Amino acid sequence: MTATLSDPTPGLPSPAPIQHVLGACPHDCPDTCSLVTTVQDGVALRVAGNPAHVHTDGVLCAKVSRYTERTYHPERVLTPLRRTGPKGSGQFEPVGWDEALDAIAARLGEIAQRDPQAILPYSYAGTMGLVQGESMAARFFHRLGASLLDRTICASAGAEALMQTYGAKVGMKVEFFARSRLILIWGSNSIGSNLHFWRYVQQAKRAGARLVCIDPRRSETADKCHEHIALRPGTDAALALALMHELVVHDAGWKSLQPDAGLDHDYLARHTLGWEALRARALEWPPERAAEVCGIPVEQIRRLAHDYAHTRPAAIRLNYGMQRVRGGGNAVRAVACLPALVGAWRDPAGGLLLSASGTAPVQRAALQRPDLLGARRPRTLNMSTIGRHLLQEAGPASGPRVEAVVVYNSNPVAVAPQSAEVVRGFGRDDLFTVVLEQFRTDTTDYADYVLPATTQLEHWDMHNSYGHTHVLLNRPAIAPVGQARPNTDVFRGLASRMGFDEACFADDDLALCRQALGDAVDFEALLADGYVALDVPDAPFAQGGFATPSGRCEFYSARLAAQGQDGLPDHLPNYELAGTSAQYPLAMISPPARNFLNSTFVNVQSLRRIEGEPLVEIHPEDAAERGIADGTVVRIFNDRGSYRCKAEVSTRARPGVVNGLGIWWRKLGLDGRNVNELTSQRLTDMGRAPVFYDCLVQVEADSPQGRATEPAAVT
Ligand SMILES: Nc1nc2c(c(=O)[nH]1)N[C@H]1C(S)=C(S)[C@@H](COP(=O)(O)OP(=O)(O)OC[C@H]3O[C@@H](n4cnc5c(=O)[nH]c(N)nc54)[C@H](O)[C@@H]3O)O[C@H]1N2
Ligand SMILES: Nc1nc2c(c(=O)[nH]1)N[C@H]1C(S)=C(S)[C@@H](COP(=O)(O)OP(=O)(O)OC[C@H]3O[C@@H](n4cnc5c(=O)[nH]c(N)nc54)[C@H](O)[C@@H]3O)O[C@H]1N2
Ligand SMILES: [Mo]
């Protein structure tokens, strides 16, 4: 932290000193920026990107540059609240902290006496901080013996696929994309969701690199790439296999003209497992077959294969958009194989990046203390199917009925699939719900108690990143607003009320920050600079060194085969496959709107003004067929529910696919619902993850009464 005293002007009272406090952006984004907050008189005046941090480079996204608007938002929850109206009504009265914590501890204690597994913690990445995320909270729930949460809602299909293929969540260092000659941006709207990566891509572009975007939606990123491959959702594995097909079939011919083109046989022999089998699988995927499945011109596949075979170094920025379908894990595996085929890993500017989160030495056991479970082995409930779990009766297989949910860092009523069940579940009168929140979200509307949470400007935290290889420390810049408390404080308070007297419940937040990365990282350097670059090799797999059981890039995974899965990557068609339902002919994907972060920031007015209203993008042909004009209100529906929003008739949508941009708060939508009314609770092939983008719907123009489907009266 640096403090600069302003020069006092003679004769005038000297202004309060200005301080610049170093922090880290807490949001669920690969960029994990280094922040500088300007503070005067205990008030945060502005939040800026740290110019000294190489990845942040003094630049923030539109959302976080408005962070003070969020912190001082007039709708911040400033005191604990107790419910006074029916569930869902959002009617509360303020109560004191002691009263709230005493009542919560008493109720949880009473449930735990019968069976602690009837209590479920529910959390995700409202903050990515290791301390305000899973430290004191995990200790508390482990000591209690509560149900465990399978944290699958975002990335677990891709993560599992990466573990099975590379053995670790490790990839290219993001800065080396600046030197790549061909960049495939695969399943990611980087300009919206990974801005600081995009800045490196711009450098590469200026130096002559070719950029290809592979995405069903013509995103802002697709607009700026040289080529856009607008494949059908859930068909990425077919495309990847066809690229392999071309590499195999043309290898000799291409090498006769350019000896280093095509397959890298030396890399394949030394550092991969299962090449012969994968080669045979690839030969089942001629480009004509993939073109049919993907709904794209065969020439596009041929050209991409040719470019990938002839350009060194070639890099792939894979992201999570493509894994939110039935075959999402297989698709990630198929794409993740590609760099090994051409030996792209030999160069730091070649290879692939999905996640770098495996790079930091996070001391999870020290932070979360699973040893506090003792001999108990509580059940695990999947956060992606929360609706179903809340509605499940007690049973010998399922265990006790969920009687209490404690939500922090998440807004499940808005973000979890199949809202009808989620809302019914949280609406149960006999469910005791506590929500730690900064705002009155869709989820707090169902709470018995809402506890005011601090924002990143008000607490300590420690961060690793899934998009780069630095770690960051966040210092509090200001005192908590109102009566807000850090998550850690709330769980300390509950632990003491429940008589948990283990020493670990007394650790303060600075101690937790020190424990988060252990001795592997120089904490004094973090205190001084706010960030530290981890010491990791520039080209992680140049000499092989995969963390799989074989030490190789596992095209064939014996571990997957042992689970009864195909040991080789393959294309698995979507559960809800376009063309198979006359009733619901359109596929719907629901990627995030650029100015929101999942459901965070939807209540920040200046950002909501940019996004306007909830909308669905629909291709002009699909719109014309349905008599839908630009800007009219439409009803999107399937067997799970219906949702009204505005249509944007646009070629951002490909024919047959509509894009329902997310994730709006239900209560700010046209009919008190959002896009998750339509999504299902089915799970991916790997990682038990949700399939948000594997969803068939119908869209119709909405009459003023919302009754457009009523048959016209026959006269
Ligand atoms: N501004 C902003 N930034 C964010 C977020 C946000 O909500 N807003 N969310 C954060 C979070 S939680 C995450 S997980 C990351 C996500 O980051 P990414 O995984 O990069 O996700 P998106 O940028 O949403 O891009 C997903 C893209 O995938 C496309 N897509 C959908 N289905 C398919 C498919 O089947 N195949 C292919 N190839 N593409 C498909 C979508 O059209 C969309 O453009 O971003 C983080 N950053
Ligand atoms: N249809 C559809 N649904 C999706 C997705 C999609 O693409 N389409 N994306 C999915 C993905 S990738 C993800 S990651 C999930 C995201 O789901 P969530 O992790 O639930 O993310 P948010 O909606 O941002 O909600 C986070 C909440 O945490 C709160 N919060 C922030 N910091 C703190 C803190 O320090 N303490 C406390 N107590 N609270 C805090 C914020 O105010 C916010 O309300 O949504 C998923 N849902
Ligand atoms: Mo996510």
Side-chain angles (χ1 to χ4, degrees), residues 340-457:
L341 264 68
V342 297
W345 290 116
R346 292 182 189 276
D347 190 314
L352 176 145
L353 175 62
L354 171 60
S355 171
S357 66
T359 343
V362 177
Q363 305 296 303
R364 292 224 152 68
L367 281 177
Q368 301 178 7
R369 298 294 303 271
D371 57 295
L372 293 168
L373 280 168
R376 296 169 299 179
R377 290 290 167 270
R379 67 174 170 189
T380 300
L381 299 179
N382 189 341
M383 69 185 306
S384 300
T385 43
I386 181 68
R388 188 177 311 146
H389 297 305
L390 292 181
L391 297 174
Q392 176 78 49
E393 298 294 340
S398 56
R401 186 160 166 85
V402 177
E403 291 184 57
V405 190
V406 181
V407 181
Y408 53 99
N409 302 341
S410 186
N411 185 10
V413 172
V415 305
Q418 204 171 352
S419 315
E421 292 206 354
V422 180
V423 167
R424 212 148 46 86
F426 275 101
R428 270 174 48 200
D429 264 332
D430 61 338
L431 182 72
F432 181 65
T433 302
V434 178
V435 183
L436 285 64
E437 250 300 351
Q438 297 156 345
F439 293 101
R440 302 269 287 261
T441 63
D442 289 333
T443 304
T444 62
D445 283 351
Y446 290 86
D448 292 281
Y449 283 92
V450 182
L451 302 176
T454 43
T455 69
Q456 190 77 345
L457 300 191

Side-chain angles (χ1 to χ4, degrees), residues 26-28 67 70 122-127 132 153-155 320 324 383 407-412 414-417 435-439 441 451 453-456 459 487 588 590-592 597-600 660 662-663 665 675-676 679 690 692-693:
H27 289 295
D28 188 351
Y67 212 77
R70 190 166 184 276
Y122 194 99
S123 68
Y124 202 64
T127 168
Q132 303 307 333
I153 202 155
C154 169
Y320 291 105
R324 308 196 199 288
M383 69 185 306
V407 181
Y408 53 99
N409 302 341
S410 186
N411 185 10
V415 305
V435 183
L436 285 64
E437 250 300 351
Q438 297 156 345
F439 293 101
T441 63
L451 302 176
T454 43
T455 69
Q456 190 77 345
H459 56 227
N487 296 342
M588 186 190 77
S590 45
L597 201 128
N598 301 321
S599 78
T600 302
I663 310 174
W665 286 15
V675 76
N676 278 319
T679 52
F692 291 113
Y693 305 168

Side-chain angles (χ1 to χ4, degrees), residues 28-30 63 154 186-190 192-194 214-217 219 231-236 319-322 324-325 466 589 591-598 659 693:
D28 188 351
C29 167
K63 305 177 292 298
C154 169
W186 202 324
S188 175
N189 182 10
S190 313
S193 64
N194 194 182
I214 305 174
D215 192 318
R217 174 172 186 250
S219 64
L231 77 188
R232 292 196 181 101
T235 62
D236 300 271
N319 225 319
Y320 291 105
M322 58 127 64
R324 308 196 199 288
V325 293
Y466 61 97
I589 58 174
R594 179 172 175 181
N595 291 290
F596 301 150
L597 201 128
N598 301 321
N659 311 323
Y693 305 168

Side-chain angles (χ1 to χ4, degrees), residues 10 25 30 59 135 142 153 193 246 312 414 517 573 579 599 601 622 626:
C25 178
V59 174
S135 66
H142 283 145
I153 202 155
S193 64
E246 292 297 274
R312 301 276 185 274
L517 298 166
S599 78
F601 295 103
D622 293 323
R626 292 166 175 77

Side-chain angles (χ1 to χ4, degrees), residues 152-157 323 382 384 682-684 686-691:
T152 55
I153 202 155
C154 169
S156 61
Q323 45 115 62
N382 189 341
S384 300
R682 292 176 107 157
L683 300 175
T684 49
M686 287 171 214
R688 308 163 305 282
V691 294

Side-chain angles (χ1 to χ4, degrees), residues 451-700:
L451 302 176
T454 43
T455 69
Q456 190 77 345
L457 300 191
E458 301 151 63
H459 56 227
W460 285 97
D461 218 326
M462 187 76 126
H463 290 258
N464 65 328
S465 169
Y466 61 97
H468 60 67
T469 52
H470 296 185
V471 292
L472 296 88
L473 179 71
N474 183 72
R475 286 173 179 268
I478 55 171
V481 175
Q483 296 178 30
R485 291 188 184 174
N487 296 342
T488 44
D489 252 25
V490 173
F491 290 105
R492 270 185 216 104
L494 288 174
S496 82
R497 280 169 176 79
M498 301 195 63
F500 299 168
D501 53 10
E502 288 80 357
C504 69
F505 290 108
D507 289 343
D508 66 17
D509 284 5
L510 194 54
L512 291 167
C513 285
R514 286 181 189 275
Q515 290 163 22
L517 298 166
D519 297 332
V521 173
D522 180 353
F523 200 77
E524 299 312 310
L526 278 170
L527 284 169
D529 303 331
Y531 63 91
V532 164
L534 296 168
D535 185 16
V536 286
D538 286 348
F541 305 129
Q543 316 290 334
F546 293 91
T548 52
S550 64
R552 289 163 174 252
C553 178
E554 295 201 349
F555 299 154
Y556 177 82
S557 165
R559 289 181 295 178
L560 282 176
Q563 294 168 21
Q565 299 228 33
D566 195 336
L568 290 172
D570 202 356
H571 167 62
L572 298 184
N574 280 2
Y575 289 118
E576 303 191 5
L577 190 59
T580 58
S581 160
Q583 230 179 338
Y584 305 121
L586 297 170
M588 186 190 77
I589 58 174
S590 45
R594 179 172 175 181
N595 291 290
F596 301 150
L597 201 128
N598 301 321
S599 78
T600 302
F601 295 103
V602 178
N603 61 326
V604 174
Q605 272 203 2
S606 62
L607 295 170
R608 195 162 76 238
R609 227 173 280 131
I610 307 175
E611 291 298 334
E613 287 177 279
L615 60 85
V616 65
E617 295 169 346
I618 183 165
H619 189 272
E621 284 167 20
D622 293 323
E625 246 174 57
R626 292 166 175 77
I628 293 168
D630 189 47
T632 57
V633 173
V634 292
R635 199 170 78 90
I636 315 177
F637 59 99
N638 60 22
D639 287 342
R640 290 178 287 271
S642 89
Y643 161 56
R644 289 165 73 241
C645 66
K646 219 166 219 184
E648 186 163 303
V649 178
S650 159
T651 52
R652 289 212 179 278
R654 58 159 285 154
V657 180
V658 293
N659 311 323
L661 301 187
I663 310 174
W664 280 78
W665 286 15
R666 289 166 61 84
K667 57 186 167 192
L668 296 175
L670 287 186
D671 58 0
R673 297 178 201 164
N674 74 11
V675 76
N676 278 319
E677 202 71 29
L678 304 161
T679 52
S680 83
Q681 293 181 78
R682 292 176 107 157
L683 300 175
T684 49
D685 53 351
M686 287 171 214
R688 308 163 305 282
V691 294
F692 291 113
Y693 305 168
D694 185 338
C695 176
L696 287 183
V697 299
Q698 179 59 294
V699 180
E700 65 181 16

